[in-house]
Amino acid sequence: MTPVSSHSPHGQSPLRTVQVLGGGNARSSAHVRSLASGLVARGVRVTVCAPADADRTYDFSGAGADHVHVPRSSDPGAVAALRAACADADLVHAHGLHASFRAVLALSGRRTPLVVTWHDRAHAEGARAHLVRLLERRVVKAASVVLGASSTLVDRARATGARDARLAAVALPGARKAMRLEEPDRPRSKVRAELGATGRPLLMAVGSLDGRRGYDTLLDASRAWRELDPVPLVVIAGEGPLRAELQRRIEDEGLPVRLIGRRDDVTQLLAAADLALLSSSWESRSVLAQEALHARVPLVATDVGSMPELVGDAAELVPYGDAEALADTVVRLLGDPERCEELRAKGVRQAATWPSEDETVAQVLSVYDELTQPRPLV
């Protein structure tokens, strides 16, 4: 195949890329939707291989991309479907570990360049952790370039054997940062009333109800907040395997916490909050942290992963698993409006340093051109 430029010079066909998604990660799916839109606008042909429900949610077709249904599993049928979709691709770009592994299997025996983006670290324990490490090695050794959403992910890729690992410019898609208090769809007071936070502080957490989110520590911390007047309300938006266990604790201990399940109005909920809370054991480019700073909501987060790199001095960071530190920090901020205003101002400045969607597309295009352009003979 004759190498072509993404800029489609006269007489050449436009670059054709295939974006591969596992379909289960909201962060990578939103990124691919944004990336597809930007690439199509620049003359690149884009095919997104993802489960059908991902296309219904993120509307890759609406961004101008072709969508091919590929199941999440790595069974032979899914790999065969992906191999067929990649048949005439100039370059394949996979997002996340499992999607990347399927891409490696589908491209076996072909010389099609493979770009891999790691948006987060794959979490596993015991025997599964060993399997994850094997998959990571297989993927990074097959990839032409590995893009990491944070420095820690780039370091991990290099330590795993990547020949070329780079820091990715990963923007928060515009649709996810459109939260301005001046013109909300619902008044802030109405949102707070709907949540039961009228006349009391609202503390907002967002994320799947699983072990790595640290919600056990958050519930421990909420015990201390029962002594405040008025008592703050903690609202957790998300769904997951620990819901029943967490709900049982909330009821048995009389904690000021509400589980409201998965919501599609998180931006409005967050914009109505007094503080945003993030208690995870590990984070890369946390969407909640980015949305909080864009929305001028003071953030209290765990000092883990790439959180310090992402937020700088624009948030209060506490040790993971330290319920006392989390509780004390929240109490201090609720009683210190000047510090909260300082965090709001710093958050706006920090958010301005993050890459834009245009910068994200430009970096990806430069990588694509580098891998598909013919090299001069020397």
Side-chain angles (χ1 to χ4, degrees), residues 168-200:
V170 178
L172 180 67
R176 297 296 304 272
K177 64 187 180 190
M179 35 177 150
R180 296 290 181 264
L181 301 185
E182 295 85 352
E183 297 180 353
D185 293 336
R186 288 178 290 167
R188 187 172 186 266
S189 58
K190 184 177 182 180
V191 174
R192 293 172 69 92
E194 290 171 356
L195 294 174
T198 300
R200 61 194 297 197

Side-chain angles (χ1 to χ4, degrees), residues 212-253:
R212 73 185 184 95
R213 296 293 179 179
Y215 288 135
D216 52 345
T217 301
L218 180 54
L219 296 192
D220 289 342
S222 72
R223 292 197 196 108
W225 304 330
R226 292 179 301 187
E227 309 304 318
L228 300 179
D229 184 20
V231 178
L233 174 65
V234 180
V235 172
I236 303 176
E239 199 53 82
L242 295 184
R243 183 184 180 103
E245 178 182 327
L246 295 172
Q247 187 63 49
R248 187 161 48 249
R249 275 199 61 187
I250 292 167
E251 294 172 0
D252 291 349
E253 301 174 32

Side-chain angles (χ1 to χ4, degrees), residues 27 118-123 136 153 156 212 281-282 284:
R27 182 182 313 161
W118 281 359
H119 298 268
D120 204 349
R121 189 182 72 185
H123 297 268
E136 287 178 338
L153 291 173
R156 184 180 181 89
R212 73 185 184 95
S281 60
W282 200 88
S284 180

Side-chain angles (χ1 to χ4, degrees), residues 150-152 278 280-286 289 293 299-320 350 353-354:
S150 66
S151 297
T152 53
L278 201 158
S280 304
S281 60
W282 200 88
E283 287 288 346
S284 180
R285 292 191 68 85
S286 164
L293 269 59
L299 172 68
V300 180
T302 42
D303 188 1
V304 296
S306 300
M307 188 58 62
E309 175 186 357
L310 179 66
V311 302
D313 64 351
E316 293 276 0
L317 300 182
V318 299
Y320 168 69
Q350 182 69 14
T353 69
W354 297 335

Side-chain angles (χ1 to χ4, degrees), residues 50-113:
D53 58 347
D55 186 50
R56 286 192 293 269
T57 301
Y58 294 95
D59 193 21
F60 305 118
S61 303
D66 295 322
H67 171 253
V68 174
H69 169 65
V70 175
R72 289 183 175 86
S73 65
S74 291
D75 63 39
V79 173
L82 183 55
R83 186 172 178 83
C86 296
D88 62 346
D90 297 296
L91 180 143
V92 174
H93 189 164
H95 302 262
L97 178 60
H98 296 289
S100 300
F101 180 64
R102 283 196 291 278
V104 170
L105 295 179
L107 293 176
S108 178
R110 295 179 178 173
R111 300 183 65 182
T112 309

